[in-house]
Amino acid sequence: MEYRVEEKYVCTEGELLILTGRLSPLMQEDAHHGEERRYQIRSLYFDDYENSCFAETMDGVNDRKKFRIRIYGGCADKISLEVKYKLNGMTRKDSCMLTEEQCSAIMAGKVPAYKKDAPKVLRMLYLSMQTMLLRPVVIVQYERTAFVNKAGNVRVTFDRNISASADIRRFLDPKVRVLPVMEKGKHILEVKYDEVLPAYIAQALETGRLQQTPYSKYRECRIAAEAYNTGGML
């Protein structure tokens, strides 16, 4: 899979409503949308014994990767193990499916059995857990509205109610108690595309006030969870 451009912006609810009206005639809505034109994403992120992922994200290291397990709508029917790479502002993602039994074992810190025929991502996680003591550290949860367009392989997402939890044991529960990490009424707009963003979509996204940001959900949720649990910071 090739690297893609990924741009992020902090937006108000009002700006997202304006953009929804502009994008709806130009792009298709994600097939997973519920009645409120959104769906819930919950991810379990990992870090090693030196907190390397957190440090690299804080320092803005250009070449880095993060492991996460992801479910949708608080349902464990579809569990995805992913590794997301970032290189000079571009991103790509590899993934494989996990069984609930595999996920529960990993959540408990158990290293998956190494099998040569296992998916590449699972073998990578095995090696990182063995050599770097990689372990799950924080839950990131939010509600996503997504628009897609085949031209340029464009995906525009609105991520609302970004929240954190350090209660790793509850990751697969239908509901998890979470702590909001953004100011009320503020959300994240993400724009992803292969090489060139079609001009008509770029024009639809132009509000005159959007400023690109290196915002990281993992970083902000990690800070919030640690502060809540210890009264301090990493």
Side-chain angles (χ1 to χ4, degrees):
M1 184 178 293
E2 299 294 331
Y3 279 88
R4 306 178 69 207
V5 178
E6 180 180 84
E7 300 172 352
K8 299 180 182 181
Y9 307 86
V10 176
C11 291
T12 65
E13 181 63 29
E15 287 172 324
L16 293 189
L17 291 176
I18 291 172
L19 293 177
T20 297
R22 293 180 181 177
L23 294 175
S24 292
L26 303 175
M27 305 179 71
Q28 292 183 325
E29 290 192 25
D30 192 294
H32 297 94
H33 282 184
E35 293 182 0
E36 297 183 0
R37 301 177 80 178
R38 65 184 73 176
Y39 56 93
Q40 183 197 85
I41 294 177
R42 186 187 300 161
S43 298
L44 179 63
Y45 279 85
F46 293 72
D47 211 336
D48 60 28
Y49 67 97
E50 292 185 331
N51 284 315
S52 300
C53 293
F54 180 80
E56 290 174 356
T57 303
M58 288 293 290
D59 294 341
V61 174
N62 283 329
D63 187 0
R64 61 183 189 267
K65 68 177 184 289
K66 288 194 289 284
F67 285 92
R68 68 190 179 199
I69 297 175
R70 176 165 285 187
I71 61 174
Y72 298 88
C75 179
D77 289 348
K78 181 181 178 182
I79 306 173
S80 175
L81 170 64
E82 304 176 346
V83 56
K84 185 175 181 180
Y85 303 88
K86 189 155 191 174
L87 179 64
N88 298 325
M90 307 279 282
T91 66
R92 72 178 180 90
K93 182 176 69 175
D94 292 331
S95 64
C96 71
M97 302 308 296
L98 293 178
T99 65
E100 187 171 349
E101 182 180 9
Q102 286 175 314
C103 183
S104 296
I106 293 170
M107 287 163 53
K110 297 179 181 178
V111 180
Y114 187 86
K115 298 179 180 179
K116 289 184 178 181
D117 60 349
K120 176 184 175 183
V121 179
L122 187 57
R123 286 185 277 119
M124 289 174 60
L125 179 68
Y126 167 87
L127 292 174
S128 295
M129 292 182 76
Q130 283 281 44
T131 60
M132 300 297 293
L133 301 184
L134 200 75
R135 79 287 188 196
V137 290
V138 70
I139 293 171
V140 176
Q141 180 173 288
Y142 50 93
E143 296 166 3
R144 168 164 285 180
T145 297
F147 296 90
V148 295
N149 192 292
K150 290 183 179 179
N153 192 21
V154 181
R155 185 172 177 84
V156 177
T157 58
F158 307 155
D159 293 340
R160 295 177 169 91
N161 303 320
I162 300 170
S163 305
S165 174
D167 194 356
I168 308 302
R169 301 168 302 167
R170 304 295 184 188
F171 175 68
L172 293 177
D173 288 2
K175 292 186 178 180
V176 176
R177 294 184 64 181
V178 292
L179 177 71
V181 302
M182 291 195 79
E183 179 183 345
K184 188 175 181 180
K186 294 293 181 68
H187 314 287
I188 295 296
L189 161 67
E190 294 187 5
V191 183
K192 302 172 186 176
Y193 52 95
D194 286 349
E195 295 181 358
V196 178
L197 182 65
Y200 63 93
I201 295 180
Q203 291 172 359
L205 291 169
E206 181 56 55
T207 68
R209 293 188 293 180
L210 291 181
Q211 293 187 343
Q212 199 167 340
T213 174
Y215 188 92
S216 165
K217 298 185 189 76
Y218 166 72
R219 177 188 64 212
E220 298 304 317
C221 287
R222 189 83 192 274
I223 291 172
E226 291 288 337
Y228 179 80
N229 284 341
T230 67
M233 305 288 275
L234 279 172

